[in-house]
Structure formats: C-alpha cells, structure tokens
Amino acid sequence: MAQDTQRGEQPELDLKNYIREIPDFPKPGILFYDISTLIRNADAWQIATARLTRAIAPWQPDLLAGIESRGFLTAAPVAMRLGCGFIMLRKPGKLPGKTISLQYGLEYGQDELHIQEDAVKPGQRVVVLDDLLATGGTLAASIRLLQKVGAEVVGTSVLVELDGLGGRDRLDVPLHSLLTYPA
C-alpha cells in the first residue's frame, strides 16, 4: 500500500478488517468484537492510534484517562503521541495510595471505579478512552468520577461503538468512535 508520508499512515486501510467477531462470547447471543487482532498487527495498530490522536488533539487535553483495562491500551499510546499525561480509572483495590471512588449501576448489577486522589488537578482538561461503548454505563460513570475530582472532561473516545444500544445518549460530553457496528 502507498504510504501517506505527510501523516505517516495508509488512509485506505479499513480497520474493521482487523477486528475479529466472536459469536456467543462471553455468553450465548452476544457478538464480541475482539480488538486483540487489531493491536497485535503493528501497522493497523499504528494507524488506529494515529487516527485516535488526530480526533482527540483538537480537544487539547492535559490528560487522557484510560478505563480498566482495555482503555489503558488505547489511552497510553495516544497520550504519548499527544505529549500529555495518562491516568488510570480502576476497579477497587488496584491503585496504590488514597483513592476516590464512584459506584454505579450496570444492567447486571453494581460496579465501582477508583482514581488516585491526586491524579487530576482542578480544571485540567481530560479525555476518557475505552475500547468499546455499548450501553454507556461505565463511560458515563468515568465522566462523573473525573468531574467529582475537579476535571474538565472535554471528550471521550472509543475504538468500537455498538450503535443502537443508547450508550452515546448517556454521555454529556462529545464522543469520537473510531469504528461503529450495529448492535
């Protein structure tokens, strides 16, 4: 493929060709979109992170927040490309030091996210990243947690959005989706 030397990528590459679809995982009736096949291909992963970087850069973030655990995979390399910091939003008991938490409801029960209490300075511009947006519960909770500690959440970004599950509607900040699939 011809290399776009100005942007350092191959713009014609369809990243959906690198997402594996696994039926009936993790339970019957669910179609799982597996990003491991994307991230293990060096060229596709470079292009994916370049496209995420271009989409997020106009928001001028100070920090990128990755949601445990696959959100770390997208947020860390994009933060490095943007020259900004990276912070982690994690499950209980996974972060050292004092943390601030937020409990939230999911379609199948309760969950909880934590952030280190000194991870964000009040007013810092933060973009939240995760691998997938479905119903939006975890991403919406992440935004609330970051706002609780004083962050200005200026946007969110995901590798894959499942359209039709209402996840986008639960967010009160802009969302960028690299790839969209019907639910």
Side-chain angles (χ1 to χ4, degrees), residues 58-78:
W59 290 328
Q60 300 177 318
D62 300 308
L63 298 168
L64 298 187
I67 301 172
E68 185 169 339
S69 67
R70 289 182 298 260
F72 302 167
L73 298 172
T74 55
V78 173

Side-chain angles (χ1 to χ4, degrees), residues 121-165:
K121 294 182 180 85
Q124 280 191 302
R125 297 172 61 85
V126 179
V127 174
V128 185
L129 285 90
D130 205 0
D131 65 323
L132 182 127
L133 174 65
T135 61
T138 302
L139 196 52
S142 298
I143 294 165
R144 288 196 315 272
L145 177 58
L146 285 158
Q147 291 168 337
K148 180 178 175 179
V149 298
E152 179 187 352
V153 181
V154 295
T156 59
S157 184
V158 295
L159 284 173
V160 174
E161 178 182 3
L162 299 182
D163 191 30
L165 295 179

Side-chain angles (χ1 to χ4, degrees), residues 102-142:
L102 180 83
Q103 290 187 347
Y104 61 102
L106 294 170
E107 52 279 358
Y108 51 83
Q110 289 282 336
D111 213 339
E112 187 174 354
L113 284 173
H114 286 249
I115 186 171
Q116 290 173 313
E117 72 174 0
D118 60 353
V120 178
K121 294 182 180 85
Q124 280 191 302
R125 297 172 61 85
V126 179
V127 174
V128 185
L129 285 90
D130 205 0
D131 65 323
L132 182 127
L133 174 65
T135 61
T138 302
L139 196 52
S142 298

Side-chain angles (χ1 to χ4, degrees), residues 161-174:
E161 178 182 3
L162 299 182
D163 191 30
L165 295 179
R168 179 179 286 265
D169 299 333
R170 294 184 70 179
L171 309 178
D172 59 0
V173 299

Side-chain angles (χ1 to χ4, degrees), residues 69-101:
S69 67
R70 289 182 298 260
F72 302 167
L73 298 172
T74 55
V78 173
M80 191 164 43
R81 284 176 176 258
L82 288 171
C84 65
F86 164 67
I87 58 175
M88 296 176 285
L89 305 177
R90 300 210 62 187
K91 304 289 183 191
K94 301 289 186 177
L95 289 170
K98 291 188 179 196
T99 64
I100 297 171
S101 66

